């Protein structure tokens, strides 16, 4: 009995002691050092434990703990230098006050001004931001644009599957109608608006953050985006000395090596960061081997407290095999071996020989000057130059990619072509078919200057200039005579009967020149819970064309063709409470037609009747923010009027198809829920309704004497716009299984994807059928990341498996005659299961 009393007494003493255990509530607020705004979602943790919290909308956090004595509070957030705060816990409340996070990069705040970065709950646009950690974790074997595939309104594919051959559509608009900017500098081709992602294959190594502004966007420069703006910010210069090395491998012989070095800010005010990488592999698709390099250099100099200079140079030279598959249908894939099949290659002398090979190098160099004029005004200026060189190969002459020159295994019989050319050479004749390269070199220089002035505590003016000059050189040249002695060319009026050999220009030889002068202005109002803006931009585009083959000396330069474009935008955001906000924006754009619409027949006889395209857009949105749950929902309506279309009739005359209109509208939802500090769920749903609005009938075709010689009709009213999935959805999971080990999974669904088609070819009033609708599909990607110490080095191991269930699905297609799968051509399947893994050592 005594033992029982002793045991009972011991238990009572233990419970009493437990009940008296010291409990401390740790509180504080985390703010950004540059803009003094609260940092939302920062991690706050007691060092050596898993006890922690995440900051709420006001940057506030609270942690309750039973620990006593001296402790270290660690505050961290992506893009900021981690800070440690010492505190002595002794019960009650410990208020740490304001804890300030400083950017881990020099000059980032200044770059964000030029780049027009949207601010959450202030800038009234639909926006999604992707942090560098997410890019590192999820890139795997995906192309750079595919990182955005879980973003509302985005449809990104690899197209033919070659290295860098991916494309992206936003709200149904192609990249020609999406403003893509790197550090605020526009990179869309000045002649046709296209973005060639193979030119930027190394961006994933140096991207600090990527922001997708859907719709009109927050861009202050004179960039007439229709679908939205993709804002990419590269690294500037790391604030701390150090670096890292990376090595990775993947499916189909993929191998990547990378190095980053940074001096940090030195005593003399300079700071230097360099990154470089090399990536090689055979490619998932047959005969698409690749070799790519990337380099990045930033040198920053803090002259004094008012002036800073930043020099940046980066580029990504690469060579890769391609799959164009002009007439490939489902039957061809089934006949010749499945989704890896490539119809555009064969063997020559026992070696792999690809008909289509792309090589390009487009370095971009910029010098930025940031001037703090006084405590209310700043001037940020960027002067840049980009010089691109390269192109792609293909046949010239009599096409040999027909059944007569295709082997039983589906490959091109290059040796048969060569043998026939050798036989012609023995007769003193030139090669019938050769391999040519189509080169598109260019020189692009520009300057962008933004002045901002805080007129009052609540009203800010921003304005500036956007100047550009672009010269594109377009020509074909002989790459391989395929066994022959020469290639007979009669297209150069200055050299008739040319017997061209390797290196000679053939086919065409012309330049395009574009002069751009833009100015813009914006007023911003921000007070308490209300922020609003109104902006306007005006630009003048001048086109010239020089043709060295079709015209004699002295007559090779076209007249100047000038187009005045302008835009006006306005928006307002209201924070109802600390959790709820609403926004609205609207705008009108009158955009100059592209170069190909001004010179549609590949001659210097320009289209004097080319019209500006007009875009009208409005959007409404709602947002919810808390420490654990964020959500956004928005609806949009964009009407695209006078889309620039031309149609050639009888090979001699061109019709301007004015009045072709389309409407893109839809609803978008995205959400993020921090279930626990270790588990995060994400979700997205995007439902679009993108249609052509009207038919065109009895459109006159004029000859050079302005006489009507024909009429054309197109019948597209109410047809779905093709080439992009109109319904997309995504679910994501990120879980920290144990300290340093994080697992991630993403499910993506794509539906209502109609084959691409040329509206000008819909000239049959009896044919009102939709383009072929591809089968809906979904894919699941998984990733793992493990951080640990390897000696004294902080080390990270990455692993990715994309399309883990090896789903077979079609991503791209060209509509056929009867709008069914049987007649659809240029079909591209998505890649099957792919994997990659790598290790990064930080020092």
């Amino acid at each position: 009995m005594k033992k029982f009393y002793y045991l009972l007494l011991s238990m009572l003493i233990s419970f009493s002691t437990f009940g008296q255990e010291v409990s401390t509530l740790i509180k504080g607020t985390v703010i950004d050092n540059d803009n003094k705004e609260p940092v939302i979602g920062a991690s706050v943790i007691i060092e050596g434990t898993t006890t922690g919290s995440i900051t709420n909308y006001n940057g506030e956090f609270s942690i309750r703990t039973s620990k006593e004595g001296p402790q270290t509070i660690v505050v961290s957030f992506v893009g900021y230098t981690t800070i440690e705060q010492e505190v002595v816990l002794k019960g009650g409340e410990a208020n740490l006050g304001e804890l300030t996070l400083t950017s881990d990069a020099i000059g980032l705040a200044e770059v964000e001004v030029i780049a027009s970065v949207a601010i959450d709950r202030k800038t009234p646009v639909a926006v999604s931001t992707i942090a560098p950690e997410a890019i590192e974790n999820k890139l795997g074997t995906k192309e750079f644009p595919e990182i955005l595939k879980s973003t509302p309104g985005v449809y990104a594919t690899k197209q033919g599957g070659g290295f860098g051959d991916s494309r992206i559509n936003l709200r149904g608009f192609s990249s020609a109608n999406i403003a893509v900017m790197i550090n605020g500098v526009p990179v869309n081709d000045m002649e046709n608006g296209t973005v060639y992602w193979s030119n930027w294959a190394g961006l994933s190594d140096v991207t600090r953050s990527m922001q997708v502004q859907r719709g009109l966007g927050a861009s202050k420069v004179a960039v007439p985006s229709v679908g939205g703006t993709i804002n990419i910010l590269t690294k500037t210069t790391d604030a701390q000395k150090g670096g890292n090395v990376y090595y990775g491998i993947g499916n189909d012989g993929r191998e990547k090596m990378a190095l980053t070095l940074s001096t940090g800010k030195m005593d003399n005010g300079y700071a230097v960061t360099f990154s470089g990488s090399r990536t090689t592999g055979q490619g998932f698709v047959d005969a698409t081997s690749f070799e790519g390099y990337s380099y990045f250099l930033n040198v920053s100099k803090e002259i004094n407290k008012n002036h800073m200079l930043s020099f940046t140079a980066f580029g990504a030279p690469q060579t890769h095999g391609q799959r164009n598959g002009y007439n490939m249908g489902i039957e061809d894939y089934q006949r010749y071996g499945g989704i890896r099949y490539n119809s555009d290659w064969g063997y020559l002398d026992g070696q792999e020989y690809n008909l289509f090979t792309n090589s390009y190098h487009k370095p971009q160099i910029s010098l930025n000057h940031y001037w703090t004029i006084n405590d209310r005004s700043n001037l940020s200026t960027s002067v840049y130059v980009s010089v691109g060189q390269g192109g792609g190969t293909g046949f010239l002459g009599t096409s040999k990619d027909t059944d007569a020159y295709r082997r039983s295994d589906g490959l091109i019989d290059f040796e048969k072509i060569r043998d026939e050319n050798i036989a012609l050479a023995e007769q003193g004749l030139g090669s019938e078919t050769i391999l040519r390269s189509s080169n598109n070199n260019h020189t692009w220089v520009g300057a962008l200057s933004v002045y901002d002035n805080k007129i009052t505590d609540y009203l800010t003016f921003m304005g500036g200039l956007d100047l550009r000059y672009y010269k594109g050189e377009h020509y074909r040249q002989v790459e391989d005579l395929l066994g022959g002695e020469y290639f007979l060319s009669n297209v150069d009026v200055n050299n008739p009967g040319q017997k061209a050999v390797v290196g000679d220009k053939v086919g065409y030889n012309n330049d395009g020149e574009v002069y751009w002068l833009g100015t813009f202005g914006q007023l911003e109002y921000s007070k308490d819970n209300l922020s609003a803006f109104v902006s306007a931009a005006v630009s003048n585009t001048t086109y010239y064309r020089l043709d060295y083959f079709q015209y004699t000396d002295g007559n090779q330069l076209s007249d100047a063709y000038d187009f005045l474009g302008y835009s006006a935008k306005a928006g307002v955001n209201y924070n109802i409470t600390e959790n709820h906000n609403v926004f609205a924006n609207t705008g009108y754009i009158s955009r100059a037609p592209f170069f190909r619409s001004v010179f549609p027949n590949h001659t210097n006889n320009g289209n004097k009747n080319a019209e500006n395209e007009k875009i009208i857009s409005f959007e409404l949105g709602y947002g919810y923010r808390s420490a654990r749950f964020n959500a956004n929902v928005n609806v949009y309506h964009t009407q695209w009027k006078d889309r620039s279309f031309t149609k050639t009739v009888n090979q001699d005359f061109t019709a301007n198809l004015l009045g072709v209109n389309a409407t893109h509208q839809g609803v978008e939802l995205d959400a993020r829920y921090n279930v626990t500090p270790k588990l995060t769920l994400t979700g997205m749903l995007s439902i679009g309704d993108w249609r052509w609005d009207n038919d065109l009938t009895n459109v006159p075709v004029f000859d050079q004497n302005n006489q009507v010689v024909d009429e054309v009709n197109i019948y597209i009213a109410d047809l779905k716009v093709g080439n992009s999935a109109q319904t997309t959805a995504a679910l994501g999971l990120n879980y920290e299984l144990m300290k340093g080990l994080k697992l991630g999974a993403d499910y993506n669904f794509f539906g209502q994807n109609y084959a691409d088609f040329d509206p000008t070819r819909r000239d049959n009033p009896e044919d009102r059928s939709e383009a072929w609708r591809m089968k809906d599909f979904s894919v699941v990607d998984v990733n793992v990341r493990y951080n640990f110490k390897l000696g004294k080095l902080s080390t990270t191991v990455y692993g990715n498996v994309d399309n883990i269930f090896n789903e077979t699905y079609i991503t791209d297609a060209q509509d056929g005659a009867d709008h069914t799968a049987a007649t659809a051509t240029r079909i591209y399947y998505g890649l099957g299961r792919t994997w990659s893994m790598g290790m990064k050592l930080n020092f």
Side-chain angles (χ1 to χ4, degrees):
M1 183 65 71
K2 286 184 179 180
K3 291 183 179 179
F4 173 75
Y5 285 126
Y6 283 132
L7 179 59
L8 181 59
L9 181 60
S10 297
M11 291 175 66
L12 289 173
I13 292 172
S14 298
F15 287 137
S16 175
T17 303
F18 179 79
Q20 296 172 9
E21 188 176 65
V22 175
S23 176
T24 305
L25 181 65
I26 307 171
K27 300 174 65 177
T29 304
V30 181
I31 64 170
D32 182 294
N33 182 63
D34 292 322
N35 57 31
K36 308 306 178 186
E37 295 284 339
V39 178
I40 306 169
S43 171
V44 185
I45 195 168
I46 300 175
E47 188 178 47
T49 74
T50 57
T51 304
S53 179
I54 296 173
T55 56
N56 64 14
Y57 163 70
N58 294 315
E60 299 166 342
F61 67 89
S62 61
I63 306 171
R64 184 169 291 279
T65 179
S66 59
K67 281 187 170 293
E68 297 181 70
Q71 301 293 331
T72 301
I73 308 301
V74 180
V75 184
S76 62
F77 193 66
V78 175
Y80 292 88
T81 301
T82 299
I83 62 173
E84 298 179 352
Q85 178 71 40
E86 302 296 329
V87 61
V88 178
L89 304 181
K90 52 185 179 182
E93 182 177 297
N95 194 333
L96 304 183
E98 289 189 349
L99 302 177
T100 303
L101 288 183
T102 303
S103 171
D104 62 7
I106 298 171
L108 179 63
E110 289 80 3
V111 172
E112 288 180 340
V113 172
I114 294 180
S116 307
V117 174
I119 301 173
D120 189 44
R121 288 175 56 92
K122 183 177 180 181
T123 310
V125 298
V127 62
S128 300
T129 301
I130 294 86
E133 183 180 19
I135 297 174
E136 284 186 342
N137 290 349
K138 298 183 178 183
L139 186 64
T141 57
K142 291 186 281 291
E143 298 284 352
F144 192 61
E146 289 183 285
I147 288 295
L148 302 173
K149 70 181 183 180
S150 295
T151 301
V154 167
Y155 185 64
T157 82
K158 284 185 170 63
Q159 291 199 108
F163 179 74
D165 286 343
S166 56
R167 71 173 177 92
I168 187 169
N169 281 40
L170 184 53
R171 290 183 173 176
F173 298 101
S174 68
S175 64
N177 301 295
I178 304 169
V180 179
M181 298 191 294
I182 301 176
N183 297 331
V185 174
V187 299
N188 298 72
D189 188 279
M190 288 284 288
E191 291 181 277
N192 58 35
T194 305
V195 177
Y196 302 98
W197 290 101
S198 59
N199 298 341
W200 312 106
L203 268 180
S204 59
D205 297 326
V206 299
T207 294
R208 180 179 179 83
S209 69
M210 181 161 47
Q211 193 175 78
V212 180
Q213 300 171 8
R214 304 186 295 279
L216 294 175
S219 173
K220 301 175 185 66
V221 300
V223 177
S225 61
V226 182
T229 302
I230 298 177
N231 233 337
I232 299 168
L233 297 186
T234 67
K235 296 177 181 177
T236 53
T237 296
D238 295 340
Q240 295 181 332
K241 181 180 180 180
N244 60 71
V245 292
Y246 172 88
Y247 178 76
I249 58 174
N251 57 279
D252 300 293
R254 188 183 185 94
E255 183 179 39
K256 181 175 181 177
M257 296 175 285
L259 169 69
T260 297
L261 297 170
S262 182
T263 65
K265 186 177 179 181
M266 297 182 285
D267 294 339
N268 59 7
Y270 279 97
V272 181
T273 294
F274 169 80
S275 293
S277 72
R278 177 179 184 264
T279 308
T280 60
Q282 282 89 50
F284 181 89
V285 174
D286 294 339
T288 56
S289 58
F290 59 90
E291 182 174 17
Y293 296 83
S294 72
Y295 56 88
F296 170 87
L297 174 67
N298 179 272
V299 181
S300 295
K301 166 66 173 176
E302 191 175 85
I303 301 172
N304 54 46
K305 66 177 183 178
N306 294 328
H307 294 273
M308 188 175 80
L309 286 174
S310 178
F311 172 84
T312 303
F314 61 92
Q318 57 76 35
T319 299
H320 70 279
Q322 295 183 296
R323 173 176 62 179
N324 282 338
Y326 288 123
N327 296 308
M328 283 178 57
I330 293 176
E331 185 180 339
D332 296 302
Y333 286 99
Q334 295 173 339
R335 181 188 306 164
Y336 295 122
I339 64 175
R340 292 178 182 257
Y341 172 59
N342 182 358
S343 63
D344 302 320
W345 72 288
Y347 290 97
L348 193 60
D349 295 326
Q351 300 296 314
E352 181 181 294
Y353 197 90
N354 197 317
L355 173 60
F356 298 109
T357 300
N358 177 273
S359 297
Y360 214 83
H361 182 203
K362 179 184 168 65
Q364 182 167 299
I365 302 169
S366 63
L367 178 64
N368 291 6
H369 174 236
Y370 309 114
W371 178 19
T372 303
I373 301 172
N374 52 49
D375 60 352
R376 285 189 171 271
S377 59
N378 303 275
L379 182 65
S380 302
T381 303
S382 177
V383 180
Y384 60 91
V385 60
S386 178
V387 180
Q389 290 188 318
T393 61
F395 277 140
L396 182 64
T398 304
S399 178
K400 298 292 187 178
D401 56 343
T402 62
D403 290 341
Y405 292 90
R406 192 167 297 283
R407 305 183 338 180
S408 60
D409 56 5
L411 303 185
I412 299 173
D413 194 341
F414 285 105
E415 294 185 344
K416 183 176 181 180
I417 296 172
R418 182 189 58 184
D419 292 344
E420 291 184 357
N421 284 339
I422 291 174
L424 290 171
E426 291 173 350
Q427 302 174 46
L429 302 175
S431 293
E432 190 175 54
T433 298
I434 64 169
L435 191 76
R436 52 76 186 161
S437 64
S438 295
N439 289 39
N440 290 284
N441 304 336
H442 72 255
T443 300
W444 182 348
V445 296
L448 179 63
S449 189
V450 179
Y451 170 77
D452 65 277
N453 180 268
K454 197 167 186 179
I455 301 172
T456 70
D457 291 341
Y458 313 118
L459 189 63
T460 300
F461 168 77
M462 301 189 75
L465 292 174
D466 179 11
L467 309 176
R468 310 178 211 170
Y469 167 75
Y470 176 98
K471 181 177 181 179
E473 300 174 349
H474 317 295
Y475 59 88
R476 284 180 170 172
Q477 68 180 22
V478 179
E479 290 294 320
D480 191 338
L481 290 167
L482 295 175
E485 295 293 330
Y486 64 88
F487 178 74
L488 184 63
S489 175
N490 286 301
V491 296
D492 184 358
V493 298
N494 300 295
N495 187 15
Q498 176 192 18
K499 294 184 177 181
V501 296
V502 173
D504 286 348
K505 294 179 180 179
V506 293
Y508 58 80
N509 183 14
N510 57 78
D511 297 342
E513 284 190 323
V514 185
Y515 294 82
W516 171 288
L517 171 62
T519 183
F520 53 91
Q522 177 167 298
L523 278 175
E524 294 181 1
Y525 174 84
S526 181
K527 182 181 180 182
D528 299 328
N529 295 325
L530 179 67
S531 58
F533 80 92
V534 60
S535 68
V538 179
S539 62
N540 187 79
T541 305
T542 303
Y543 293 124
Y544 288 95
R545 187 177 186 277
L546 296 93
D547 196 311
Y548 304 103
F549 272 14
Q550 299 186 74
Y551 302 92
T552 57
D553 290 342
N555 300 303
Q556 295 173 340
L557 179 64
S558 74
D559 294 334
Y561 291 81
D562 292 285
F563 298 89
L564 184 68
Y566 55 90
S567 66
K569 298 187 291 184
V572 60
N573 179 86
Y574 182 69
N575 297 328
I576 303 169
T577 69
E578 68 175 29
N579 301 113
H580 305 273
N581 73 289
V582 292
F583 74 85
N585 65 57
T586 186
Y588 178 82
I589 298 172
S590 177
R591 185 179 72 176
F594 289 128
F595 191 91
R596 62 174 177 264
S597 296
V598 179
F599 299 100
N601 290 329
H602 308 293
T603 70
N604 286 354
N605 298 321
N607 181 5
K608 297 183 182 297
N609 297 314
E611 289 275 349
N612 279 18
E613 297 180 335
K614 292 90 176 175
I615 299 96
I616 303 171
S617 180
F618 63 84
E619 185 162 9
L620 297 172
Y622 162 79
Y624 177 84
R625 298 290 182 275
S626 70
R628 297 177 62 182
F629 181 70
N630 296 344
N632 304 285
V633 61
N634 56 278
V635 294
Y636 65 90
H637 179 95
T638 302
Q639 190 170 26
W640 191 358
K641 296 185 175 182
D642 290 333
R643 282 206 54 178
S644 184
F645 283 113
T646 58
K647 184 172 183 178
T648 301
V649 180
N650 298 327
Q651 299 182 347
D652 296 315
F653 310 111
T654 300
N656 294 307
L657 302 181
L658 303 178
V660 181
N661 304 330
T663 296
H664 293 233
Q665 57 189 357
V667 59
E668 299 166 338
L669 168 69
D670 65 275
R672 180 185 182 91
Y673 180 40
N674 297 317
V675 183
T676 70
K678 293 185 176 183
L679 175 63
T680 301
L681 302 177
T682 58
M684 176 275 290
L685 175 65
S686 177
I687 301 174
D689 182 17
W690 313 324
R691 297 176 182 271
W692 298 102
D693 288 346
N694 58 302
D695 297 333
L696 287 184
T697 57
N698 303 320
V699 179
V701 180
F702 297 93
D703 64 13
Q704 293 179 349
N705 298 316
N706 206 34
Q707 299 296 311
V708 176
V709 294
D710 205 342
E711 289 183 344
V712 296
N713 306 286
I714 62 172
Y715 301 95
I716 56 175
D718 208 38
L719 292 182
K720 293 275 192 177
V721 173
N723 206 33
S724 183
Q726 302 201 18
T727 299
T728 60
L731 290 174
L733 177 150
N734 292 280
Y735 181 65
E736 186 176 11
L737 186 63
M738 53 182 254
K739 185 178 181 180
L741 179 60
K742 293 184 178 181
L743 305 176
D746 289 285
Y747 166 87
N748 283 274
F749 169 83
F750 305 93
Q752 283 201 87
N753 190 9
Y754 295 87
D756 194 18
F757 66 94
D758 182 355
T760 68
R761 294 183 179 275
R762 287 292 196 112
D763 54 8
N764 180 3
E766 303 301 322
D767 183 4
R768 295 284 181 170
S769 300
E770 294 282 8
W772 172 52
R773 177 175 170 173
M774 290 166 264
K775 185 178 179 180
D776 299 349
F777 67 92
S778 59
V779 293
V780 176
D781 305 331
V782 297
N783 63 83
V784 61
R785 170 178 177 157
Y786 182 47
N787 297 322
F788 62 97
K789 288 287 187 180
L790 188 61
K792 294 184 178 181
L793 298 179
S794 176
T795 306
T796 305
V797 172
Y798 303 90
N800 296 80
V801 181
D802 296 330
N803 190 9
I804 191 169
F805 297 117
N806 202 29
E807 295 290 333
T808 300
Y809 56 95
I810 295 173
T811 60
D812 303 77
Q814 192 73 33
D815 197 34
D818 62 358
H819 319 302
T820 65
T823 59
T825 61
R826 208 172 189 182
I827 285 174
Y828 295 139
Y829 281 88
L831 271 56
R833 183 188 298 116
T834 60
W835 64 270
S836 67
M837 61 184 299
M839 176 183 287
K840 178 186 287 187
L841 281 74
N842 299 286
F843 51 85

